[in-house]
Every structure is written in structure tokens, then in C-alpha cells.
Amino acid sequence: MAGTITEAVATDERVARVGVLRRLLVKPELGSLIGAIVVFSFFAVLSADFRSPGGIANWLDPASTLGIMAVAVALLMIGGHFDLSAGVQTATAGIASGLLTTYYGMNTWAALLLSLILVLAIGFLNGYLVVRTGLPSFIITLGSFLMLQGLNLGVTKVVTNTVQVNNFDKVGGYSALHKVMASTVTIAGTPFQIAILWWVLLTIGGTYLLLKTRFGNWIFAIGGEKNASTNVGVPVMRTTVTLFMITSAAAWFIGNTQIVRLTSIQAQTGIGQELIYIVAAVIGGCLLTGGFGSAVGASLGALIFGMTSQGIVYAGWDADWFKFFLGAMLLLAVLANQFVRRYAEQSRR
């Protein structure tokens, strides 16, 4: 009897011993961590400026703004969906805040609140239509992308007679807003954008949400198997709509950060960026099929993007090569993710 019990315990996968290497290999962020180390080492050898405090500040800046969006997009992708309107929503948010304040004289904080409500409504509509119609999120948000692109351009031209909103630095409360969204923090004599801090905090928050909350379990569940999730009582509609609204909230923050930092915003801002957000999430370990990924991995994917974009400049190369490296990293990430997924599935057998 004792031998039978021992044998049963030994074969039960819930108590089976799993080696350190196996546990590491099934971590979604492992590949992006290795990639980040390789990219940093490569450009650090090529350029001393790249590894200097000033150089680090320069490549952390684009990584932070991309990383904030990449974390939100990663949560949505883990839930099994895409948002192709995420990039253009950044322009929608910034344009709304800019027009309401500079052309219509609205209080700055009220304008920010209204622009937030606007993009959250867009996120809600995207999520609601995806769930209600059963159409792929790719199609729904592609429609949103095209409509918002035309709306941003059309409204901006009608109001300003140009394709941009200017003079945001002249609105009331700008200095306080600048401190929150676009100020710098000096470390060892080098100024670092405060967006880096918000990026780190969002990554921590996203990680906690995924791994320590019931909502995080729902995200993985609906991304892994929607029908099974519904059968066991997971609120699929509420979770999906919330994920789209989180992505829209991140777009609001980035769009307003841009208009605060530059004091102006172009009507076509963000077009094409939605693909960069997805690339960063995939490089960070998110599967295109959903159900797998992490906030840390998405941030590491954004970090790789930032280091590569600035590293090419520091190395003195033609910036046109950046797209080549980005495509190569995406292909390698997809292949690595496929290998990890198969390995993870085999490890459960």
C-alpha cells in the first residue's frame, strides 16, 4: 500500500519536481531578458556614449513611452485580442486636450478629464463590439483606426486650419502638468525623463495584476480558452471591455505626455505605432494566440526597441537599418515563443 501511494505521488504533476532550467525556460520574459542583455552588450562595445549616463537616459526615454503602451497592449494580447487603434488614440487624446484648452478656453484639468472620458469610451466601444459581434478584434479596431485617423485630421483642420494643435504651454496649469508628465529627474548629474518612473510603476502594477489578482486569472483564462472560461463563470465581456479600456487609458497618458512635452501635437501622430506596440509585446514573450505573456516581458521588449533605435545612431550607422533589426527581432521572438510554448506543453505531460 505504501509503495502504491509513493508511486502515485511521484507521478502526480502537481507535486512533481521541476528543474530550475525547465522553470526558467517557460518564463515568457526569459527570451526578451537575454535579448536585452545581448543588445546592450553589442552597442556598449561599439560606442562608449551608448553606455554613458547620458546615453542611457537617451535610450530609456523612447523605451519608457513605448513601454507604457506595450504593457497595456500585452495585457490585451494575453487576453487574446489586439487593438490596432491604440496608436491613433494617442493623437485623439492629445488633440482633444489641446483643442479644448487652446481654442475653447476650457480649464486644463477639465479638458484632460474629458479627453480621458473620450478615449475610454472608444475603448469601451471596441471591447463591446468585439464581444457582442464575435468578430475578430483585428477587424473591429482596424475600423476604429481608420475612423479616428480621419476624425483627428478632419477636426483639427476645421478648428485650426492646420494639421496640428499648438501653444499648449500657454494654457493655465501647464507648469503643474509639466511636472507630472514631462519633467526630468537628475541622477548623478544626468536628467532622466519622469516617464521612466511611470513606466516602471506601470510594469510593477501590470505584473501584480496578472499574477496576484483574480482579474489576472481571468485575463489568462479568456486568452487561453474563451468558451471554457465562459463555462466556468469567468465574466468574459467585463474582462475584455476592461482590457480595451486599459489600453485606451495608456494611450491617453502617452498622447497627453507628448503634447505637454512638445507643446504641440500633429493630427497624424501615432499612426503606425500600434504595430510597434505589438512587436514590443511579442518580443517580450506574448503569444499572438493569447493566454501567455507578461508585463515585464513587454517592458523588456520596449527596452530592446529603445536601445536599438538609439544604439544604431551612436554606432554611426544609417538609421534605415533600424527597421531591419526590428523585423529580425520580431521573427526571432516569434520562433523563440513557439519553442517555449511547445516546451511548456511537453513539461506538463
Side-chain angles (χ1 to χ4, degrees):
M1 177 66 70
T4 303
I5 294 175
T6 303
E7 182 179 351
V9 171
T11 57
D12 190 340
E13 66 175 7
R14 293 172 297 178
V15 295
R17 292 182 178 274
V18 180
V20 175
L21 179 60
R22 186 182 293 270
R23 289 201 300 269
L24 287 175
L25 284 176
V26 297
K27 293 288 186 181
E29 59 271 13
L30 177 65
S32 55
L33 176 60
I34 295 173
I37 294 172
V38 170
V39 170
F40 174 82
S41 301
F42 178 73
F43 287 112
V45 170
L46 290 179
S47 171
D49 291 334
F50 176 83
R51 62 179 185 269
S52 68
I56 294 173
N58 282 339
W59 47 257
L60 279 179
D61 182 20
S64 63
T65 52
L66 171 60
I68 290 171
M69 286 301 304
V71 169
V73 169
L75 296 179
L76 182 62
M77 288 180 64
I78 294 170
H81 297 288
F82 299 94
D83 189 350
L84 296 183
S85 69
V88 75
Q89 282 188 60
T90 63
T92 302
I95 290 170
S97 297
L99 291 179
L100 289 172
T101 52
T102 60
Y103 282 85
Y104 295 105
M106 183 176 288
N107 175 273
T108 302
W109 304 105
L112 288 173
L113 178 60
L114 282 180
S115 68
L116 176 60
I117 293 173
L118 173 63
V119 294
L120 287 178
I122 295 170
F124 175 86
L125 185 61
N126 282 338
Y128 182 83
L129 289 175
V130 166
V131 177
R132 279 301 185 190
T133 65
L135 291 172
S137 55
F138 177 90
I139 298 298
I140 297 293
T141 58
L142 178 60
S144 300
F145 164 80
L146 294 173
M147 288 188 291
L148 288 175
Q149 182 180 353
L151 187 66
N152 291 345
L153 188 59
V155 171
T156 304
K157 278 187 174 181
V158 167
V159 177
T160 70
N161 292 318
T162 66
V163 294
Q164 64 181 4
V165 180
N166 298 309
N167 302 319
F168 194 72
D169 56 328
K170 294 180 173 57
V171 303
Y174 173 78
S175 58
L177 191 59
H178 186 273
K179 290 180 181 179
V180 175
M181 288 185 162
S183 62
T184 58
V185 178
T186 301
I187 301 176
T190 302
F192 290 82
Q193 286 289 339
I194 197 170
I196 299 170
L197 173 62
W198 302 132
W199 172 35
V200 172
L201 292 177
L202 181 61
T203 302
I204 294 172
T207 301
Y208 180 84
L209 181 71
L210 281 174
L211 302 181
K212 300 294 183 179
T213 68
R214 183 170 57 177
F215 184 76
N217 291 333
W218 292 344
I219 295 173
F220 282 109
I222 64 175
E225 181 51 61
K226 178 181 175 181
N227 292 332
S229 302
T230 303
N231 293 335
V232 298
V234 173
V236 174
M237 172 173 280
R238 185 180 17 163
T239 303
T240 301
V241 169
T242 301
L243 288 173
F244 275 99
M245 292 178 71
I246 289 173
T247 303
S248 294
W252 172 85
F253 184 85
I254 295 302
N256 282 286
T257 294
Q258 179 162 338
I259 194 172
V260 170
R261 185 182 295 187
L262 303 177
T263 72
S264 65
I265 191 166
Q266 295 281 339
Q268 296 190 1
T269 293
I271 296 176
Q273 286 297 108
E274 63 283 337
L275 296 179
I276 303 298
Y277 304 149
I278 294 173
V279 168
V282 172
I283 291 175
C286 289
L287 293 178
L288 296 173
T289 52
F292 189 79
S294 72
V296 172
S299 285
L300 288 171
L303 181 63
I304 292 173
F305 176 95
M307 288 192 294
T308 303
S309 63
Q310 297 301 309
I312 288 175
V313 175
Y314 282 120
W317 296 353
D318 191 326
D320 292 338
W321 283 101
F322 171 67
K323 295 295 184 181
F324 171 82
F325 279 100
L326 191 63
M329 286 188 292
L330 174 61
L331 181 59
L332 290 173
V334 171
L335 293 174
N337 291 347
Q338 185 180 39
F339 167 78
V340 168
R341 184 180 187 183
R342 289 177 177 175
Y343 189 88
E345 290 173 350
Q346 292 174 359
S347 68
R348 297 190 185 103
R349 295 174 182 172

